Amino acid sequence: MSLRGVPCGLPLQWPPVATDGSFHLDADADDAAVVYAELRRIAAAYMRRERPGQTLQATALVHEAYLRLADVRTPWKDRRHFIGVAARSMRQILVDRARARGAQKRWAGLA
């Protein structure tokens, strides 16, 4: 199943709301496009706050967060719950990158 109107090559599908009200990792294309667009918007906002010269792009940030969440297999409560957890995951990815950059500056000549 492809994501109509979403230029991405995600290996797995985005989670929609299931009939029982929970969120699962088997996506309907329309729900997937809506969730992907929202995550892309959040990622772009996060990236605007980062320092200039970042090599990570908003799309890559969304994909990295998705890869972290794909293994979780948690039944998400709803779309809002999933987007909130994904947004937090994206922020954590940026924090991890900043920490790695700082460690590289401090310990670059000692290793």
Side-chain angles (χ1 to χ4, degrees):
M1 177 182 324
S2 67
L3 301 177
R4 288 176 271 148
V6 180
C8 67
L10 292 175
L12 300 172
Q13 300 162 350
W14 289 95
V17 176
T19 55
D20 64 357
S22 63
F23 226 51
H24 298 284
L25 288 176
D26 300 323
D28 174 5
D30 293 332
D31 286 337
V34 170
V35 171
Y36 182 81
E38 178 66 14
L39 291 177
R40 177 70 176 73
R41 186 191 64 75
I42 292 168
Y46 281 157
M47 295 307 296
R48 279 192 298 273
R49 291 185 228 142
E50 289 296 305
R51 60 183 245 191
Q54 252 323 330
T55 57
L56 186 66
Q57 303 226 343
T59 302
L61 181 59
V62 172
H63 293 191
E64 181 66 30
Y66 177 75
L67 291 175
R68 286 188 180 192
L69 296 175
D71 294 335
V72 174
R73 302 290 180 220
T74 301
W76 309 102
K77 294 177 187 173
D78 55 14
R79 181 180 302 179
R80 185 176 174 186
H81 179 222
F82 176 76
I83 289 174
V85 172
R88 187 177 186 123
S89 179
M90 287 188 285
R91 187 72 192 134
Q92 191 59 48
I93 290 166
L94 293 174
V95 167
D96 291 345
R97 286 175 55 91
R99 284 184 182 149
R101 188 173 47 247
Q104 185 180 20
K105 279 178 25 178
R106 284 190 303 275
W107 301 101
L110 299 177

